[in-house]
């Protein structure tokens, strides 16, 4: 099984759902619950951790002439070097000592989304992915990241 490596760009949390997230130095993933201190913690079984690639944010910025940044699409983890939406369900993602499993590709956009209201479009429903926490632990930007399937 070949390992494919990628990088972390930002780790993000928010107190409320449907809002932009604030970058933090590290996050704690809790098995079967999600990101500690995040609005979605212990609420959703198939969407415990949201992940979006910085390349998709950069594409949106060029298309919409905006200046969105990591966390603005309410993602917990922003990556570089991985085409997230192409990963099959069940793909294992290893970040440091933690293990995530891809559980959902995209989502239905809810009404009142800060980003959709701000720029008129949101890429999270099409390009973002969600994962379940299989093995919890602390995650920081320097962690080694890879996936296998």
């Amino acid at each position: 099984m070949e390992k494919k490596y990628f990088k972390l760009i930002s780790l993000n949390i928010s107190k409320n759902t449907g809002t932009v997230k604030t970058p933090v130095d590290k996050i704690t993933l809790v098995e079967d619950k999600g990101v500690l201190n995040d609005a979605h913690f212990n609420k959703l079984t198939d969407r415990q951790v949201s992940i979006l690639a910085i390349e998709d944010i950069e594409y949106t910025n060029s298309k919409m002439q905006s200046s969105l940044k990591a966390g603005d699409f309410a993602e917990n983890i922003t990556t570089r070097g991985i085409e997230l939406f192409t990963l099959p369900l069940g793909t294992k993602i290893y970040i440091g000592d933690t293990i995530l499993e891809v559980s959902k590709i995209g989502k239905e956009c809810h009404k009142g989304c800060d980003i959709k209201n701000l720029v008129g479009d949101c890429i999270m429903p099409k390009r973002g992915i969600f994962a379940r926490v299989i093995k919890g632990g602390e995650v920081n930007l320097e962690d080694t990241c890879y996936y296998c399937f």
Side-chain angles (χ1 to χ4, degrees), residues 1 20 22 43 51 62 70 79 84 105 119 122 126 128 133:
M1 195 176 333
V20 298
T22 303
K43 292 183 180 172
I51 311 171
S62 67
T79 63
L84 295 163
I105 309 293
V119 297
C122 181
K126 300 174 202 97
V133 180

Side-chain angles (χ1 to χ4, degrees), residues 32-132:
D32 290 324
K33 294 184 188 247
V35 181
L36 188 66
N37 298 321
D38 186 66
H40 291 102
F41 183 73
N42 203 26
K43 292 183 180 172
L44 303 167
T45 56
D46 66 340
R47 295 186 348 203
Q48 294 174 1
V49 181
S50 56
I51 311 171
L52 185 65
I54 193 70
E55 292 90 345
D56 291 323
I57 296 171
E58 291 166 345
Y59 171 78
T60 299
N61 282 338
S62 67
K63 181 180 167 189
M64 306 296 283
Q65 298 178 343
S66 55
S67 57
L68 298 165
K69 58 193 181 314
D72 283 351
F73 286 95
E75 78 277 6
N76 296 119
I77 299 174
T78 315
T79 63
R80 179 176 297 283
I82 178 174
E83 201 168 60
L84 295 163
F85 65 95
T86 66
L87 298 178
L89 294 178
T91 300
K92 300 290 191 284
I93 298 175
Y94 302 84
I95 302 175
D97 294 330
T98 70
I99 304 171
L100 301 172
E101 181 181 72
V102 177
S103 56
K104 190 168 177 68
I105 309 293
K107 69 173 189 129
E108 288 185 34
C109 199
H110 53 83
K111 293 183 179 179
C113 171
D114 283 355
I115 294 304
K116 193 165 187 175
N117 291 338
L118 182 65
V119 297
D121 191 19
C122 181
I123 57 173
M124 198 64 189
K126 300 174 202 97
R127 310 286 277 200
I129 68 166
F130 297 88
R132 289 180 30 247

